[in-house]
Every structure is written in structure tokens, then in C-alpha cells.
Amino acid sequence: MTRGMLIANLMIAIGAAMPAQAAEWKPAKRVEVVVPNAPGGGNDRLIRLVLKIAQEQKLIEPVVNVLHKPGAGVVMGLTYLNQFAGDGHHVAIISSTFLGDYASGRSSISPSDITPIAQLFTEYVAFAVKPDSTLKSGKDVLARLKADVASLSASLSGGPGNHNHIALSMVARAVGSDAKKLKIVVYSSGADALTAALGGHVDMVVAPAASVLPHVQAGRLRFIALAAPKRLEGAFASVPVWKELGANAVTSNWRAIVGPRGLPAPQAEYWENVLARVAESDEWKKMLEHDGVTNEFLRSARMREELKSDYEELKAVMTELGLVK
């Protein structure tokens, strides 16, 4: 073999190896995870569990900071995230509130303005009241909404048009009431929405079931119903779903990790693989079972497809409810 052929073969080997080397990107400095909500809510609780598992399994080496950026739904948090376009040292956790904010016109940040990395799971929306509430069952809630839709106050987080608001609107619509007249109090985090209900400042809280469960187990709240297609198992087995009570209200929330816009594929793949390993851990599976959430982990490409279809469906419902500007 001539010297020229040797050099040519070497260049080919180097070229073939380059994609594999690029795919091995990993953080080289401090990592920042943005939570676009106040501390104590569902996103905060979940990202800390993700990081705990990832660090215990040595999936992430650098120091990780969790930064809360609440405000204007998820706008403040994602606007901050996109200051680091193309940089995998900055990621964020979001929920389906992201799509509601965009569909309603409250946010200009669209699915094309972030890099989908992975959907962690989906969870159904719960309705709960204080133990001594005069609302003893879902039937009582339906009767109250039918008689005077504005007579019942409810707290929720995220903003008008998110999964919590859609669930409540669907229940009101099921009894022929005008969902636009609902009396809702919107908070920047699920923790604040729950606090409002615990303090008796509202009649009812509408929030993801997993966020409500600890308060029910401690005797501070009582489940009314779930916006699920059928009864869940485990701790939720005794909780009726709205469909049982004559109201066709089925709404779920998802939680996902995203990167800033323009994130290169190797950087997105790094985080996707870390999260896939977390989702396979016993501790994560235990959380899913305990919280009664649906194990629906989606990798980047599939999540991108789901974002598109979810947005189209959500916008149609929100338009019908008069929630699109």
C-alpha cells in the first residue's frame, strides 16, 4: 500500500469516527436547570427527584443548580432559557401549561422556540376540597356549577387555558354552564394553589393528582373526582372519575425536559439518554406507582410529534371555550 493510500484510509477512518465522538458530548461546566414556577410545586418536586437519581447513578458529573424563574405562565422561565440558545448546559422542566400559554396568546414562545428532549410521564387532573367542605361529592359540584357557575371558586396554577383550567371548564360545560363565567384564582405554582384551598380561600383546588395526594393522605384535603378516562389504581382506587358522574371531562398533564432553541443533536442526545436511564430506575418507577401517573416516557423525536398534535387539539378546545385571543 502506498503512502498516499495509507493517508487516504486514515482520513476516512477519522471521518467515520467523528459523528461518534460528537455524540459523546457531555457538560463541561456547571449545569443550570430552569423551573418556570415558584418553589414547592410539581415541577420543582420532580426535577429534584430526576437530579437525585441522575447524580446517585453518576449520570451527571458537574454541579447542578436549580433556578426558579416564575412569571407570566412559563414565559419568564423560557425567555431566560433562550438566552443560552444552543447551549446544553441549560435545560428546563415544563408541563402542558406551555402549550396553553401559547395557544391562548399569553406567550409568544412556541414549540419551535424550544428543543424537546424527553417527556417524562402524563398525569390526570384532580379536584379536591377541605375535609369539612359542604361539597361532599362530585354530584354536589355539578349541581353547584349548574345552578350558578360563578358561585364556586377554584384555585389552579399555570394560567387560564392550561390542563387544570380545561378540566374545570369541561366539567362546567357538561352541565350546560358558561365556562367563561367560572370563578378561578390563578397562582404561579401548584403549591400556592393548594395553599389557597388549605386555607379556605377558595372552595376547591384543581391540580395534578400527584400534587394533591400527600394532602389527602394527611387529612388536609379530600378528593372529589379525577378527570381520567377510568378509575386509577392504588391510592386513587376509591376516587370516582367525572365520566362516572355524567360529565365527560378527561384531561391530562405531561411533564417534560426541554433545551433552549437551536440545541445541537449531540447535546440533546446526552440529556435524552440521561433521562432514559433515570426513567428505568427503580426509584423512578416507585414514584410513578405511588403518584398514580402514567408511565409514558417519550424520546425527543416522538415528543416533538406529540407537541404538534397536542397543540392542535388544545387550541380547538380553547377556541370553543373562548380562551384564544
Side-chain angles (χ1 to χ4, degrees):
M1 183 179 292
T2 67
R3 185 171 182 272
M5 292 176 64
L6 284 171
I7 294 174
N9 288 339
L10 179 60
M11 294 302 293
I12 292 172
I14 292 174
M18 284 179 67
Q21 291 171 351
E24 293 176 358
W25 180 92
K26 61 181 180 179
K29 59 183 180 180
R30 187 183 300 268
V31 168
E32 188 172 66
V33 180
V34 179
V35 179
N37 316 96
N43 283 339
D44 185 27
R45 178 177 67 90
L46 287 166
I47 197 58
R48 292 184 187 280
L49 177 60
V50 168
L51 295 175
K52 174 179 178 292
I53 295 171
Q55 289 172 328
E56 286 178 349
Q57 295 193 5
K58 302 188 184 306
L59 303 177
I60 302 177
E61 295 178 5
V63 173
V64 180
N65 285 344
V66 175
L67 178 67
H68 292 273
K69 283 281 185 180
V74 297
V75 174
M76 294 293 289
L78 294 184
T79 298
Y80 173 81
L81 178 71
N82 272 335
Q83 292 179 20
F84 307 95
D87 186 353
H89 294 92
H90 302 267
V91 295
I93 181 169
I94 62 171
S95 68
S96 58
T97 296
F98 163 70
L99 289 181
D101 285 348
Y102 180 60
S104 69
R106 291 188 308 277
S107 169
S108 61
I109 302 176
S110 73
S112 63
D113 291 318
I114 50 93
T115 302
I117 293 176
Q119 175 181 293
L120 301 175
F121 58 75
T122 56
E123 57 187 334
Y124 292 103
V125 176
F127 293 63
V129 297
K130 291 187 68 176
D132 59 354
S133 172
T134 57
L135 299 168
K136 301 301 181 185
S137 68
K139 291 288 188 182
D140 291 341
V141 171
L142 294 174
R144 182 97 161 260
L145 290 172
K146 184 174 183 178
D148 181 2
V149 69
S151 70
L152 190 154
S153 60
S155 62
L156 54 88
S157 66
N162 75 343
H163 50 283
N164 301 318
H165 189 200
I166 292 296
L168 180 57
S169 297
M170 293 177 76
V171 172
R173 187 174 58 172
V175 295
S177 293
D178 186 353
K180 293 189 289 292
K181 295 181 180 179
L182 282 164
K183 186 178 180 180
I184 62 170
V185 184
V186 180
Y187 293 88
S188 62
S189 76
D192 291 338
L194 285 161
T195 298
L198 292 167
H201 305 300
V202 293
D203 298 315
M204 182 170 63
V205 61
V206 184
S211 299
V212 180
L213 181 60
H215 297 285
V216 171
Q217 293 174 326
R220 295 187 292 267
L221 290 174
R222 172 167 49 84
F223 279 125
I224 286 290
L226 294 173
K230 62 180 181 180
R231 289 206 183 196
L232 302 182
E233 299 177 352
F236 303 99
S238 63
V239 184
V241 298
W242 284 114
K243 292 183 73 172
E244 292 179 45
L245 304 172
N248 186 21
V250 178
T251 308
S252 63
N253 175 36
W254 45 257
R255 312 273 183 173
I257 304 298
V258 301
R261 68 167 65 93
L263 195 65
Q267 298 185 32
E269 288 169 10
Y270 165 83
W271 285 111
E272 183 181 341
N273 291 331
V274 166
L275 294 167
R277 292 278 299 277
V278 168
E280 293 171 355
S281 70
D282 291 339
E283 188 171 2
W284 184 257
K285 292 176 181 177
K286 183 179 179 181
M287 179 278 294
L288 295 177
E289 181 179 358
H290 178 270
D291 289 358
V293 297
T294 304
N295 185 6
E296 193 173 10
F297 181 86
L298 302 180
R299 287 182 174 269
S300 180
R302 178 72 186 284
M303 180 186 165
R304 193 181 299 275
E305 295 173 358
E306 290 297 316
L307 279 176
K308 181 179 179 181
S309 61
D310 284 357
Y311 171 72
E312 291 171 353
E313 293 175 5
L314 180 62
K315 188 170 183 179
V317 173
M318 291 176 64
T319 299
E320 183 181 342
L321 293 172
L323 296 172
V324 175
K325 296 179 182 179

PDB file of all heavy atoms in Angstrom, residues 15-36:
ATOM      1  N   GLY A  15     -12.845  10.453   9.616  1.00  0.00           N
ATOM      2  CA  GLY A  15     -14.156  10.997   9.268  1.00  0.00           C
ATOM      3  C   GLY A  15     -15.273  10.124   9.795  1.00  0.00           C
ATOM      4  O   GLY A  15     -16.299  10.607  10.265  1.00  0.00           O
ATOM      5  N   ALA A  16     -15.116   8.803   9.718  1.00  0.00           N
ATOM      6  CA  ALA A  16     -16.153   7.889  10.205  1.00  0.00           C
ATOM      7  C   ALA A  16     -16.307   7.972  11.708  1.00  0.00           C
ATOM      8  O   ALA A  16     -17.380   7.752  12.260  1.00  0.00           O
ATOM      9  CB  ALA A  16     -15.808   6.459   9.791  1.00  0.00           C
ATOM     10  N   ALA A  17     -15.204   8.284  12.384  1.00  0.00           N
ATOM     11  CA  ALA A  17     -15.251   8.326  13.852  1.00  0.00           C
ATOM     12  C   ALA A  17     -15.827   9.619  14.387  1.00  0.00           C
ATOM     13  O   ALA A  17     -16.308   9.676  15.508  1.00  0.00           O
ATOM     14  CB  ALA A  17     -13.841   8.120  14.419  1.00  0.00           C
ATOM     15  N   MET A  18     -15.810  10.676  13.577  1.00  0.00           N
ATOM     16  CA  MET A  18     -16.215  11.990  14.074  1.00  0.00           C
ATOM     17  C   MET A  18     -17.646  12.044  14.597  1.00  0.00           C
ATOM     18  O   MET A  18     -17.896  12.573  15.669  1.00  0.00           O
ATOM     19  CB  MET A  18     -15.997  13.048  12.988  1.00  0.00           C
ATOM     20  CG  MET A  18     -14.536  13.435  12.822  1.00  0.00           C
ATOM     21  SD  MET A  18     -14.287  14.662  11.525  1.00  0.00           S
ATOM     22  CE  MET A  18     -15.120  16.067  12.275  1.00  0.00           C
ATOM     23  N   PRO A  19     -18.665  11.472  13.901  1.00  0.00           N
ATOM     24  CA  PRO A  19     -20.025  11.519  14.443  1.00  0.00           C
ATOM     25  C   PRO A  19     -20.127  10.852  15.802  1.00  0.00           C
ATOM     26  O   PRO A  19     -20.817  11.324  16.699  1.00  0.00           O
ATOM     27  CB  PRO A  19     -20.843  10.787  13.381  1.00  0.00           C
ATOM     28  CG  PRO A  19     -20.045  10.931  12.122  1.00  0.00           C
ATOM     29  CD  PRO A  19     -18.620  10.876  12.569  1.00  0.00           C
ATOM     30  N   ALA A  20     -19.441   9.720  15.969  1.00  0.00           N
ATOM     31  CA  ALA A  20     -19.493   9.025  17.255  1.00  0.00           C
ATOM     32  C   ALA A  20     -18.879   9.871  18.352  1.00  0.00           C
ATOM     33  O   ALA A  20     -19.389   9.935  19.476  1.00  0.00           O
ATOM     34  CB  ALA A  20     -18.764   7.682  17.152  1.00  0.00           C
ATOM     35  N   GLN A  21     -17.770  10.556  18.011  1.00  0.00           N
ATOM     36  CA  GLN A  21     -17.137  11.395  19.011  1.00  0.00           C
ATOM     37  C   GLN A  21     -18.026  12.576  19.371  1.00  0.00           C
ATOM     38  O   GLN A  21     -18.141  12.973  20.523  1.00  0.00           O
ATOM     39  CB  GLN A  21     -15.781  11.879  18.487  1.00  0.00           C
ATOM     40  CG  GLN A  21     -14.741  10.770  18.376  1.00  0.00           C
ATOM     41  CD  GLN A  21     -13.488  11.227  17.656  1.00  0.00           C
ATOM     42  OE1 GLN A  21     -13.441  12.315  17.095  1.00  0.00           O
ATOM     43  NE2 GLN A  21     -12.478  10.385  17.653  1.00  0.00           N
ATOM     44  N   ALA A  22     -18.682  13.161  18.334  1.00  0.00           N
ATOM     45  CA  ALA A  22     -19.565  14.303  18.590  1.00  0.00           C
ATOM     46  C   ALA A  22     -20.739  13.905  19.478  1.00  0.00           C
ATOM     47  O   ALA A  22     -21.204  14.680  20.297  1.00  0.00           O
ATOM     48  CB  ALA A  22     -20.066  14.859  17.248  1.00  0.00           C
ATOM     49  N   ALA A  23     -21.210  12.661  19.266  1.00  0.00           N
ATOM     50  CA  ALA A  23     -22.366  12.195  20.033  1.00  0.00           C
ATOM     51  C   ALA A  23     -22.032  11.989  21.498  1.00  0.00           C
ATOM     52  O   ALA A  23     -22.924  11.812  22.310  1.00  0.00           O
ATOM     53  CB  ALA A  23     -22.898  10.893  19.435  1.00  0.00           C
ATOM     54  N   GLU A  24     -20.750  12.014  21.830  1.00  0.00           N
ATOM     55  CA  GLU A  24     -20.349  11.786  23.203  1.00  0.00           C
ATOM     56  C   GLU A  24     -20.222  13.082  23.989  1.00  0.00           C
ATOM     57  O   GLU A  24     -19.568  13.125  25.020  1.00  0.00           O
ATOM     58  CB  GLU A  24     -19.008  11.029  23.224  1.00  0.00           C
ATOM     59  CG  GLU A  24     -19.120   9.612  22.679  1.00  0.00           C
ATOM     60  CD  GLU A  24     -17.780   8.908  22.619  1.00  0.00           C
ATOM     61  OE1 GLU A  24     -16.765   9.549  22.961  1.00  0.00           O
ATOM     62  OE2 GLU A  24     -17.739   7.736  22.227  1.00  0.00           O
ATOM     63  N   TRP A  25     -20.881  14.139  23.520  1.00  0.00           N
ATOM     64  CA  TRP A  25     -20.859  15.406  24.256  1.00  0.00           C
ATOM     65  C   TRP A  25     -21.378  15.197  25.674  1.00  0.00           C
ATOM     66  O   TRP A  25     -22.312  14.415  25.913  1.00  0.00           O
ATOM     67  CB  TRP A  25     -21.740  16.439  23.549  1.00  0.00           C
ATOM     68  CG  TRP A  25     -21.769  17.779  24.248  1.00  0.00           C
ATOM     69  CD1 TRP A  25     -20.962  18.827  24.009  1.00  0.00           C
ATOM     70  CD2 TRP A  25     -22.657  18.187  25.302  1.00  0.00           C
ATOM     71  NE1 TRP A  25     -21.272  19.885  24.846  1.00  0.00           N
ATOM     72  CE2 TRP A  25     -22.313  19.500  25.655  1.00  0.00           C
ATOM     73  CE3 TRP A  25     -23.700  17.562  26.003  1.00  0.00           C
ATOM     74  CZ2 TRP A  25     -22.981  20.215  26.654  1.00  0.00           C
ATOM     75  CZ3 TRP A  25     -24.363  18.253  26.998  1.00  0.00           C
ATOM     76  CH2 TRP A  25     -24.002  19.576  27.315  1.00  0.00           C
ATOM     77  N   LYS A  26     -20.775  15.897  26.612  1.00  0.00           N
ATOM     78  CA  LYS A  26     -21.282  15.920  27.973  1.00  0.00           C
ATOM     79  C   LYS A  26     -20.927  17.267  28.593  1.00  0.00           C
ATOM     80  O   LYS A  26     -19.996  17.945  28.130  1.00  0.00           O
ATOM     81  CB  LYS A  26     -20.715  14.773  28.808  1.00  0.00           C
ATOM     82  CG  LYS A  26     -19.205  14.775  28.958  1.00  0.00           C
ATOM     83  CD  LYS A  26     -18.761  13.566  29.782  1.00  0.00           C
ATOM     84  CE  LYS A  26     -17.245  13.535  29.946  1.00  0.00           C
ATOM     85  NZ  LYS A  26     -16.819  12.372  30.756  1.00  0.00           N
ATOM     86  N   PRO A  27     -21.653  17.684  29.618  1.00  0.00           N
ATOM     87  CA  PRO A  27     -21.402  19.005  30.212  1.00  0.00           C
ATOM     88  C   PRO A  27     -19.967  19.141  30.704  1.00  0.00           C
ATOM     89  O   PRO A  27     -19.418  18.230  31.318  1.00  0.00           O
ATOM     90  CB  PRO A  27     -22.390  19.054  31.380  1.00  0.00           C
ATOM     91  CG  PRO A  27     -23.466  18.095  31.008  1.00  0.00           C
ATOM     92  CD  PRO A  27     -22.769  16.988  30.269  1.00  0.00           C
ATOM     93  N   ALA A  28     -19.401  20.304  30.426  1.00  0.00           N
ATOM     94  CA  ALA A  28     -18.015  20.565  30.839  1.00  0.00           C
ATOM     95  C   ALA A  28     -17.954  21.603  31.949  1.00  0.00           C
ATOM     96  O   ALA A  28     -16.865  21.949  32.410  1.00  0.00           O
ATOM     97  CB  ALA A  28     -17.205  21.036  29.633  1.00  0.00           C
ATOM     98  N   LYS A  29     -19.100  22.108  32.365  1.00  0.00           N
ATOM     99  CA  LYS A  29     -19.140  23.121  33.418  1.00  0.00           C
ATOM    100  C   LYS A  29     -20.467  23.003  34.166  1.00  0.00           C
ATOM    101  O   LYS A  29     -21.260  22.103  33.900  1.00  0.00           O
ATOM    102  CB  LYS A  29     -18.990  24.519  32.823  1.00  0.00           C
ATOM    103  CG  LYS A  29     -20.058  24.871  31.809  1.00  0.00           C
ATOM    104  CD  LYS A  29     -19.821  26.250  31.205  1.00  0.00           C
ATOM    105  CE  LYS A  29     -20.904  26.607  30.187  1.00  0.00           C
ATOM    106  NZ  LYS A  29     -20.691  27.947  29.592  1.00  0.00           N
ATOM    107  N   ARG A  30     -20.694  23.909  35.090  1.00  0.00           N
ATOM    108  CA  ARG A  30     -21.903  23.888  35.907  1.00  0.00           C
ATOM    109  C   ARG A  30     -23.161  23.865  35.035  1.00  0.00           C
ATOM    110  O   ARG A  30     -23.280  24.593  34.061  1.00  0.00           O
ATOM    111  CB  ARG A  30     -21.916  25.117  36.808  1.00  0.00           C
ATOM    112  CG  ARG A  30     -23.042  25.150  37.829  1.00  0.00           C
ATOM    113  CD  ARG A  30     -22.992  26.452  38.606  1.00  0.00           C
ATOM    114  NE  ARG A  30     -21.716  26.598  39.305  1.00  0.00           N
ATOM    115  CZ  ARG A  30     -21.498  26.197  40.550  1.00  0.00           C
ATOM    116  NH1 ARG A  30     -22.470  25.644  41.243  1.00  0.00           N
ATOM    117  NH2 ARG A  30     -20.314  26.362  41.109  1.00  0.00           N
ATOM    118  N   VAL A  31     -24.119  23.007  35.419  1.00  0.00           N
ATOM    119  CA  VAL A  31     -25.387  22.871  34.693  1.00  0.00           C
ATOM    120  C   VAL A  31     -26.474  23.656  35.430  1.00  0.00           C
ATOM    121  O   VAL A  31     -26.507  23.672  36.659  1.00  0.00           O
ATOM    122  CB  VAL A  31     -25.797  21.389  34.577  1.00  0.00           C
ATOM    123  CG1 VAL A  31     -27.235  21.252  34.083  1.00  0.00           C
ATOM    124  CG2 VAL A  31     -24.841  20.644  33.654  1.00  0.00           C
ATOM    125  N   GLU A  32     -27.354  24.276  34.667  1.00  0.00           N
ATOM    126  CA  GLU A  32     -28.462  25.029  35.261  1.00  0.00           C
ATOM    127  C   GLU A  32     -29.786  24.467  34.732  1.00  0.00           C
ATOM    128  O   GLU A  32     -29.979  24.354  33.533  1.00  0.00           O
ATOM    129  CB  GLU A  32     -28.336  26.505  34.888  1.00  0.00           C
ATOM    130  CG  GLU A  32     -29.323  27.407  35.594  1.00  0.00           C
ATOM    131  CD  GLU A  32     -29.015  28.874  35.325  1.00  0.00           C
ATOM    132  OE1 GLU A  32     -29.148  29.304  34.169  1.00  0.00           O
ATOM    133  OE2 GLU A  32     -28.605  29.578  36.273  1.00  0.00           O
ATOM    134  N   VAL A  33     -30.654  24.116  35.673  1.00  0.00           N
ATOM    135  CA  VAL A  33     -31.985  23.622  35.311  1.00  0.00           C
ATOM    136  C   VAL A  33     -33.008  24.677  35.711  1.00  0.00           C
ATOM    137  O   VAL A  33     -33.113  25.037  36.881  1.00  0.00           O
ATOM    138  CB  VAL A  33     -32.307  22.289  36.012  1.00  0.00           C
ATOM    139  CG1 VAL A  33     -33.700  21.808  35.603  1.00  0.00           C
ATOM    140  CG2 VAL A  33     -31.268  21.234  35.659  1.00  0.00           C
ATOM    141  N   VAL A  34     -33.742  25.164  34.736  1.00  0.00           N
ATOM    142  CA  VAL A  34     -34.714  26.229  34.968  1.00  0.00           C
ATOM    143  C   VAL A  34     -36.081  25.633  35.269  1.00  0.00           C
ATOM    144  O   VAL A  34     -36.567  24.766  34.539  1.00  0.00           O
ATOM    145  CB  VAL A  34     -34.818  27.152  33.734  1.00  0.00           C
ATOM    146  CG1 VAL A  34     -35.850  28.259  33.979  1.00  0.00           C
ATOM    147  CG2 VAL A  34     -33.457  27.753  33.397  1.00  0.00           C
ATOM    148  N   VAL A  35     -36.670  26.093  36.366  1.00  0.00           N
ATOM    149  CA  VAL A  35     -38.052  25.732  36.717  1.00  0.00           C
ATOM    150  C   VAL A  35     -38.883  27.007  36.563  1.00  0.00           C
ATOM    151  O   VAL A  35     -38.697  27.949  37.332  1.00  0.00           O
ATOM    152  CB  VAL A  35     -38.152  25.199  38.163  1.00  0.00           C
ATOM    153  CG1 VAL A  35     -39.600  24.849  38.495  1.00  0.00           C
ATOM    154  CG2 VAL A  35     -37.255  23.989  38.341  1.00  0.00           C
ATOM    155  N   PRO A  36     -39.786  27.069  35.578  1.00  0.00           N
ATOM    156  CA  PRO A  36     -40.540  28.305  35.337  1.00  0.00           C
ATOM    157  C   PRO A  36     -41.718  28.485  36.285  1.00  0.00           C
ATOM    158  O   PRO A  36     -42.758  29.020  35.905  1.00  0.00           O
ATOM    159  CB  PRO A  36     -40.999  28.143  33.881  1.00  0.00           C
ATOM    160  CG  PRO A  36     -41.154  26.685  33.719  1.00  0.00           C
ATOM    161  CD  PRO A  36     -40.078  26.051  34.572  1.00  0.00           C
TER     162      PRO A  36
END
